Amino acid sequence: MDRHDIALIRFGGVNRALAQIVLDRGDDLAVDLGFTLRIVAITDLRLGSLMQADGIDLAAVFAMDADDTFAGWRGGTAVPQNTYVIRNTTADIVVEATFTNPLDGEPGVSHVRAALEAGKSVVTTNKGPVALAAAELNRIASAHGAFFAYEGSVMSGTPVLRFAAETLKGLRVGEVQGILNGTSNYVLGRMEAGLSLDAAVAEAQARGYAEADPTADIGGSDVQLKVVILANEILGADITPADVDRQGITGVTPEDIARAAAERSRWKLIGSARRDASGAVVASVRPVALPADHALAGISGATNAVSFGTDLLGTVTVSGPGAGRIETAYALLSDIIAIDAKQRTRQAVVA
Amino acid sequence: MDRHDIALIRFGGVNRALAQIVLDRGDDLAVDLGFTLRIVAITDLRLGSLMQADGIDLAAVFAMDADDTFAGWRGGTAVPQNTYVIRNTTADIVVEATFTNPLDGEPGVSHVRAALEAGKSVVTTNKGPVALAAAELNRIASAHGAFFAYEGSVMSGTPVLRFAAETLKGLRVGEVQGILNGTSNYVLGRMEAGLSLDAAVAEAQARGYAEADPTADIGGSDVQLKVVILANEILGADITPADVDRQGITGVTPEDIARAAAERSRWKLIGSARRDASGAVVASVRPVALPADHALAGISGATNAVSFGTDLLGTVTVSGPGAGRIETAYALLSDIIAIDAKQRTRQAVVA
């Protein structure tokens, strides 16, 4: 049976969830998918670095005390040597899960580049490298016979990029628009129930939807990165965050909400990109009062959704979770599954 | 460039729309998809039969007068010889588009069987053969190196079967539930606006959503066939329509609608199938008052939707058109695209 050896860069919530899936369900997955998964490297700012080409004992990693590091482990050190591990790991797939840096995508971009240049495929949910450098990174992947996959950079494990690529073939997609931030959608829903913006944000934080600093959520910059990704991937654009007009939900007032409700409309933070008559891609993030029969009007709570405007099929919409540790770990798993399939096709063609 | 030769069995609205797509956009599609499409046979109860191995002039077919037949055309006759054409056409893909027969699936089942036994792949939107005989027909396809594809048997061109197969890999899907009949969803929505059931049905007929005899729509038997297809395809069940408890919307009263609205709920005709604790598949069609935050509660008008209940990702939903000539023709095109991809993979493996 085929096997993929995996390196986990940053051992935070999402990569821990992926490791847990491999530990708990690896045998079942092997039966379903026809390949096994083995974690051969882990790096983490707090834990340090660990490389074991014969496979890391994940149960031992999960049993570590809160202040333990990989110092003293075979192949381990207390120093987090991300780039060294990416270059030297025996892994064929590197999972990049460092934080999203919306300014220059670092250190994610450098991590992805280093892996691809070494011929290792990369899967990530890190919006930074995808929104800011996908074209360059895809060229590097192609030149080195590797793959770069990032389904989870938009809507966690809910299929969006793969939905467009695999199930809308033969259609012309002229527009994408979505509810791409669960916190702001939750907040708008709670404002419909009578809460102030501040009270709704506080409630979202208490429920774990919003970050301690919710600026990127309610200010729209999180959605801005996702719109760049959707425009470039699905409409074939070549835009950057600066090309996306951005307005968050902080200007939506209780009066706006009440007025919309009286007309059976709902305020939603909509990220959108479309080709205009000249062929240029126009992209924006802004609050919109959607009529009740709009495909995105019924998306409630922290759920996310994307609608695709197509020529032959009209509007098609996918909705599902947009965040969550396990949901995002599934995005990584789905990318690994897709890479395995591409490698098999390539091997078959070569052979 | 690869080419697929196509036989169209019944030249009704959907196959006419497919032929129009081939005529208008064949060159564009060839660039996008890497293969060309050529119609080499057409059969129709009114027009008769036409076989031209070098490709039929579609513009001439569309220019026919209302009472013309294929008599006198090269390779043509006024007699609709479906089975003869299916067996003898030079087509490698047969498009079966006769009417849905919910009792025994005929003549669809015999048409599909004849094509597959001759090694020709079949695409169809005919629910009869899929709901009643998919397992047998898939075995025949496999034994003869052919493919049988039927995305459009549920929700026209909106990807449902392919969504599950291509984008949810590695997940366990334990439940599917959907709004699978546009007429009944439209009718329930108009009852929310104050219309009686009869008035809403009449309006749906005037708008072209409902058939002259709306019994299969509002009585739930259309949804029943689709639930069988979803249960067998997605949950791996082996059920027949008789295994699906069925209740239509004729028992939903204005009082039910008003009571639900007061609780911010909406009545929907829900087709569902799930694996219970024992592993058995339980399937039903019945009206359900959904709370406002349910994934299917916001599906309005004639739109259809299916929600998939998964282990790692929770609930994921696809919504879009459930009917329409062009939308259904796209389902056939998407099946042809999928068959082409499978043939290429197989050829690569064999070579």
Side-chain angles (χ1 to χ4, degrees):
Chain A
M1 189 175 293
D2 280 3
R3 187 187 68 223
H4 292 289
D5 283 353
I6 309 286
L8 303 177
I9 309 307
R10 188 189 184 196
F11 203 56
V14 171
N15 264 346
R16 278 179 185 268
L18 180 61
Q20 195 73 54
I21 292 170
V22 171
L23 182 62
D24 294 344
R25 311 172 37 139
D27 292 345
D28 284 354
L29 285 170
V31 173
D32 290 353
L33 303 171
F35 62 85
T36 61
L37 291 172
R38 192 166 71 165
I39 312 293
V40 298
I42 299 174
T43 69
D44 185 74
L45 209 57
R46 206 184 54 69
L47 298 172
S49 304
L50 181 64
M51 285 199 286
Q52 295 184 348
D54 55 346
I56 293 168
D57 178 353
L58 294 173
V61 173
F62 283 119
M64 290 170 78
D65 285 335
D67 54 354
D68 281 355
T69 75
F70 291 133
W73 289 50
R74 175 170 60 85
T77 159
V79 184
Q81 304 168 304
N82 287 340
T83 306
Y84 177 84
V85 170
I86 289 169
R87 292 219 169 99
N88 293 284
T89 174
T90 53
D92 62 302
I93 298 178
V94 173
V95 183
E96 213 288 338
T98 66
F99 66 99
T100 290
N101 173 342
L103 299 177
D104 62 6
E106 293 295 353
V109 172
S110 294
H111 290 166
V112 176
R113 192 187 286 122
L116 296 174
E117 286 175 346
K120 291 158 189 157
S121 292
V122 177
V123 303
T124 191
T125 63
N126 185 339
K127 292 183 290 294
V130 184
L132 303 174
E136 177 212 342
L137 295 169
N138 275 311
R139 276 193 300 272
I140 297 173
S142 188
H144 290 80
F147 296 99
F148 181 37
Y150 35 83
E151 177 64 65
S153 62
V154 181
M155 278 175 67
S156 76
T158 304
V160 177
L161 305 182
R162 197 159 287 124
F163 178 81
E166 296 298 329
T167 77
L168 302 181
K169 286 174 183 168
L171 295 174
R172 296 281 157 82
V173 180
E175 178 170 20
V176 286
Q177 56 177 342
I179 292 172
L180 298 164
N181 182 272
T183 297
S184 53
N185 202 52
Y186 179 85
V187 165
L188 288 170
R190 295 301 290 153
M191 288 177 73
E192 288 175 338
L195 269 64
S196 70
L197 177 74
D198 290 347
V201 170
E203 191 178 281
Q205 288 171 319
R207 286 186 159 235
Y209 297 145
E211 305 287 333
D213 176 1
T215 311
D217 290 326
I218 65 172
S221 57
D222 172 67
V223 176
Q224 192 176 30
L225 288 179
K226 292 169 180 168
V227 167
V228 170
I229 296 169
L230 292 176
N232 291 348
E233 289 294 316
I234 293 169
L235 302 184
D238 182 21
I239 64 172
T240 69
D243 299 315
V244 183
D245 281 339
R246 174 173 61 83
Q247 187 186 337
I249 63 168
T250 49
V252 178
T253 65
E255 293 71 32
D256 293 330
I257 298 272
R259 200 174 315 116
E263 298 167 350
R264 297 194 62 239
S265 293
R266 302 186 73 185
W267 284 94
K268 296 291 178 187
L269 182 61
I270 299 297
S272 72
R274 64 182 170 81
R275 284 208 176 272
D276 68 13
S278 75
V281 169
V282 181
S284 67
V285 180
R286 62 195 163 97
V288 181
L290 298 179
D293 60 355
H294 190 283
L296 298 175
I299 304 299
S300 294
T303 302
N304 286 16
V306 173
S307 286
F308 303 82
T310 75
D311 53 351
L312 299 176
L313 196 52
T315 301
V316 187
T317 303
V318 181
S319 66
R325 291 184 321 113
I326 297 169
E327 294 85 348
T328 309
Y330 170 68
L332 297 168
L333 177 63
S334 78
D335 283 338
I336 293 169
I337 294 169
I339 287 173
D340 179 79
K342 286 184 182 181
Q343 286 178 334
R344 282 169 197 245
T345 303
R346 188 172 60 187
Q347 281 160 4
V349 172
V350 171
Chain B
M1 186 175 293
D2 281 3
R3 187 186 69 222
H4 292 291
D5 283 352
I6 308 288
L8 304 178
I9 307 307
R10 187 189 184 196
F11 203 55
V14 171
N15 264 347
R16 278 178 185 268
L18 180 62
Q20 194 74 54
I21 292 170
V22 171
L23 181 63
D24 295 344
R25 310 174 35 142
D27 292 345
D28 285 354
L29 285 170
V31 173
D32 290 353
L33 303 171
F35 62 84
T36 59
L37 290 173
R38 192 166 71 165
I39 311 295
V40 298
I42 299 175
T43 69
D44 185 75
L45 210 56
R46 206 183 54 68
L47 298 172
S49 303
L50 180 65
M51 287 200 285
Q52 294 184 348
D54 54 348
I56 293 169
D57 178 353
L58 294 174
V61 173
F62 283 121
M64 289 169 78
D65 286 333
D67 54 354
D68 281 355
T69 75
F70 292 133
W73 291 49
R74 176 171 57 88
T77 160
V79 184
Q81 304 168 305
N82 287 340
T83 305
Y84 176 84
V85 169
I86 289 169
R87 293 220 169 100
N88 292 285
T89 174
T90 53
D92 61 302
I93 299 179
V94 172
V95 182
E96 212 289 336
T98 66
F99 68 98
T100 291
N101 173 343
L103 299 178
D104 62 7
E106 293 296 353
V109 171
S110 293
H111 290 165
V112 177
R113 192 187 286 123
L116 296 173
E117 286 176 345
K120 291 157 190 157
S121 291
V122 177
V123 304
T124 192
T125 62
N126 185 339
K127 294 183 289 294
V130 184
L132 302 174
E136 177 211 343
L137 296 170
N138 275 310
R139 275 194 300 272
I140 296 173
S142 188
H144 290 80
F147 297 99
F148 181 36
Y150 35 82
E151 177 65 64
S153 62
V154 183
M155 277 175 68
S156 75
T158 304
V160 176
L161 304 182
R162 197 158 288 124
F163 178 81
E166 296 298 328
T167 78
L168 302 181
K169 287 175 182 168
L171 295 174
R172 296 281 158 82
V173 179
E175 179 171 18
V176 286
Q177 55 176 340
I179 293 172
L180 298 165
N181 182 273
T183 298
S184 54
N185 201 52
Y186 179 85
V187 165
L188 289 170
R190 296 300 290 153
M191 288 177 75
E192 288 175 337
L195 269 65
S196 70
L197 177 74
D198 290 345
V201 170
E203 191 179 281
Q205 287 171 318
R207 287 187 158 234
Y209 298 145
E211 305 287 334
D213 177 1
T215 311
D217 291 325
I218 64 173
S221 59
D222 172 68
V223 176
Q224 191 177 31
L225 288 180
K226 293 169 179 168
V227 167
V228 170
I229 296 171
L230 292 175
N232 291 348
E233 290 292 316
I234 293 168
L235 302 183
D238 182 21
I239 65 173
T240 69
D243 299 316
V244 182
D245 280 339
R246 174 172 61 85
Q247 186 185 337
I249 63 168
T250 48
V252 179
T253 65
E255 294 70 35
D256 292 330
I257 299 272
R259 199 175 315 116
E263 296 167 352
R264 297 193 63 240
S265 294
R266 302 185 72 185
W267 283 94
K268 297 290 180 188
L269 181 62
I270 299 296
S272 72
R274 66 181 170 80
R275 282 208 176 273
D276 70 12
S278 74
V281 168
V282 182
S284 66
V285 179
R286 60 194 164 101
V288 182
L290 299 179
D293 61 354
H294 190 283
L296 298 176
I299 304 299
S300 295
T303 303
N304 285 17
V306 173
S307 286
F308 303 82
T310 75
D311 53 351
L312 299 174
L313 195 53
T315 300
V316 187
T317 303
V318 181
S319 66
R325 292 185 318 115
I326 298 170
E327 295 83 348
T328 308
Y330 171 67
L332 297 167
L333 177 62
S334 78
D335 283 339
I336 293 169
I337 294 169
I339 287 173
D340 179 78
K342 287 185 181 177
Q343 286 179 334
R344 283 169 197 245
T345 303
R346 187 173 61 187
Q347 281 161 3
V349 172
V350 171

